[in-house]
Amino acid sequence: SDGRFLFFLPWQKHTLVGTTDTKSDAKTLPSPPEDEVQWLLNECGKYLSSDLRVRRSDVLSAWQGWRPLASDPNAPPGAPISRDHIISTNPDTGIVFIAGGKWTTWREMAEEAIDKVVGEQTRSTTLDRKLFGGEGWSPNLAIQLIQKYGMSQDVAEHLSRTYGGRAWEVCELSDATGLSWPRFGNPLAPNYPYIDAEVRYACREYACTIEDVLSRRTRLAFLNKDAAISALPHVADIMAEELAWSADVKAEQVAAARAYVECYAGRIPKKKGSALRTATYEDLRDIFSALDADGNGYLDRVEVGEAASVLGFPMSSTELSSAFSKMDSDGNGRVTLEEFAEWWNVDSLLKKRLSRELGLGGFKKEDIKSLGGGVFLG
């Protein structure tokens, strides 16, 4: 709507949507502004099928990064700052340097930098060189992994695609599942192909932080914030064993990784600091949809417990049973949106924690109706 490009890119069986481009102050752990997440959702709705409602809870992960605008110190006065990468030579030391660039152009940047160093007589051969793992790969590698290790098809295809011929080394590090099928490859998170052996392999390839494993050695944080949080303890246990962490080091690593993953946006919006509406009926429905992990139209006890853990206040079995029974007014083990809205009117510890974590005002149903859009409750 404002003339910028909007991208829909298939990636890792998910869809990337972006981007916005806003000047910001530098931060170590930037979080995507909720206003910009909502802007992208609003724009998506203009280009998708009219019978498809794009919900806030469909956003599994969102993140913010920095685009470095490179200024060549050897450029003539008044030369514009480049939005692409620049390659230049320090006149005093003769060192060739490269600055700027983007996530998607790293191989082109490497090729041009090498060409600059070696000169016109010898050109970079990067286009003719296989990536690490290219040797030993074949289109049938995933089938071979399934045959030898009894892995699921999703896991085998992922390992083949990600590690190439090195997938054999990864598989040798996998633990038995104890199941008849799949026999090897314990998942780090449900519904994702990442397995325990990848963490061990990453440590032997010099991975030193949980953050590195969750975001770069796997792509879990970029794909699904909740899944990354759920995998974090398991990853920490494996890395502590591989790298001989003390209890103190492990605790520091877990805290740093949790802070890192929390800088991503997830299914439940962060309303704090947002210029969007503070709390409307849409908020309540969005929260309900986000908690309804399987999308069946009601909440069960497991979904409520998982949401509490994701938001940083895990509940004991007794606390969870007590909180859920208050939501489940008819006692059938299923909380509908109407029951959830009725429960929201009553002060409770869980409601207060949800309100605090989400930055919501916690309006009563009557206030929500007066704001409009409360047709379901009307």
Side-chain angles (χ1 to χ4, degrees):
S1 62
D2 60 3
R4 288 183 287 180
F5 287 103
L6 184 68
F7 298 95
F8 287 78
L9 301 175
W11 185 57
Q12 302 285 320
K13 298 186 177 180
H14 290 61
T15 301
L16 294 181
V17 178
T19 61
T20 60
D21 191 353
T22 306
K23 185 175 181 180
S24 305
D25 294 331
K27 298 177 183 178
T28 302
L29 294 175
S31 293
E34 181 59 33
D35 292 338
E36 297 194 21
V37 174
Q38 189 62 56
W39 183 85
L40 285 171
L41 285 177
N42 293 342
E43 294 297 304
C44 288
K46 300 175 183 178
Y47 299 99
L48 298 177
S49 173
S50 59
D51 63 354
L52 181 63
R53 175 177 176 260
V54 183
R55 306 170 303 172
R56 178 60 183 81
S57 55
D58 292 327
V59 179
L60 302 181
S61 187
W63 62 92
Q64 180 183 33
W66 307 112
R67 169 181 281 185
L69 302 182
S71 177
D72 186 349
N74 301 315
I81 294 177
S82 175
R83 298 180 71 85
D84 298 315
H85 61 277
I86 61 166
I87 302 173
S88 190
T89 303
N90 186 304
D92 298 324
T93 64
I95 294 176
V96 175
F97 64 88
I98 184 168
K102 295 183 291 185
W103 198 12
T104 53
T105 59
W106 63 274
R107 198 162 187 178
E108 177 188 4
M109 294 166 62
E111 179 180 355
E112 293 181 6
I114 293 299
D115 288 345
K116 177 73 173 180
V117 172
V118 301
E120 295 294 329
Q121 301 303 315
T122 305
R123 307 298 293 178
S124 167
T125 60
T126 183
L127 289 179
D128 301 317
R129 289 182 176 270
K130 292 182 179 179
L131 292 174
F132 191 65
E135 296 293 340
W137 181 87
S138 77
N140 294 324
L141 178 57
I143 297 174
Q144 294 170 338
L145 296 177
I146 294 172
Q147 290 175 333
K148 181 172 182 178
Y149 297 100
M151 292 181 161
S152 70
Q153 183 173 340
D154 282 349
V155 169
E157 290 177 349
H158 156 68
L159 295 178
S160 172
R161 183 174 57 250
T162 303
Y163 300 94
R166 300 285 172 171
W168 297 106
E169 299 176 30
V170 179
C171 290
E172 285 298 314
L173 300 173
S174 62
D175 294 330
T177 63
L179 304 173
S180 58
W181 191 268
R183 300 198 313 273
F184 286 89
N186 291 289
L188 297 178
N191 303 315
Y192 286 89
Y194 306 115
I195 60 173
D196 53 354
E198 295 182 77
V199 182
R200 298 191 187 279
Y201 187 78
C203 290
R204 300 175 193 193
E205 280 198 328
Y206 310 109
C208 298
T209 66
I210 301 172
E211 169 195 333
D212 187 14
V213 170
L214 291 178
S215 59
R216 290 175 289 276
R217 308 309 177 106
T218 71
R219 295 299 191 186
L220 203 50
F222 289 105
L223 296 174
N224 191 320
K225 174 184 177 180
D226 292 350
I229 291 175
S230 70
L232 196 159
H234 191 191
V235 172
D237 290 342
I238 297 173
M239 295 189 73
E241 179 183 329
E242 285 286 322
L243 302 176
W245 286 344
S246 67
D248 288 343
V249 170
K250 181 180 178 182
E252 291 172 0
Q253 283 280 339
V254 168
R258 185 171 291 278
Y260 167 76
V261 177
E262 286 297 342
C263 78
Y264 287 72
R267 294 177 301 137
I268 301 175
K270 296 179 179 179
K271 291 294 187 179
K272 294 178 180 178
S274 172
L276 296 173
R277 64 203 189 285
T278 53
T280 69
Y281 181 71
E282 283 294 319
D283 283 326
L284 201 57
R285 185 164 57 189
D286 286 346
I287 296 169
F288 182 88
S289 296
L291 300 182
D292 182 17
D294 52 16
N296 58 13
Y298 58 83
L299 306 181
D300 58 40
R301 185 177 181 277
V302 172
E303 289 171 325
V304 173
E306 287 178 346
S309 296
V310 164
L311 290 171
F313 51 92
M315 306 173 73
S316 69
S317 178
T318 301
E319 291 172 331
L320 178 57
S321 295
S322 175
F324 185 76
S325 66
K326 294 176 181 177
M327 290 187 194
D328 185 18
S329 58
D330 60 8
N332 67 351
R334 302 179 178 187
V335 175
T336 64
L337 177 57
E338 181 71 24
E339 287 178 305
F340 185 73
E342 292 289 347
W343 169 80
W344 193 264
N345 294 330
V346 180
D347 285 334
S348 68
L349 180 60
L350 178 57
K351 183 264 185 88
K352 289 178 181 178
R353 284 174 169 176
L354 282 172
S355 296
R356 182 174 66 248
E357 292 298 325
L358 301 178
L360 296 174
F363 291 124
K364 295 182 182 297
K365 186 199 294 187
E366 290 72 18
D367 298 324
I368 295 170
K369 282 186 177 180
S370 67
L371 292 172
V375 176
F376 184 88
L377 295 179

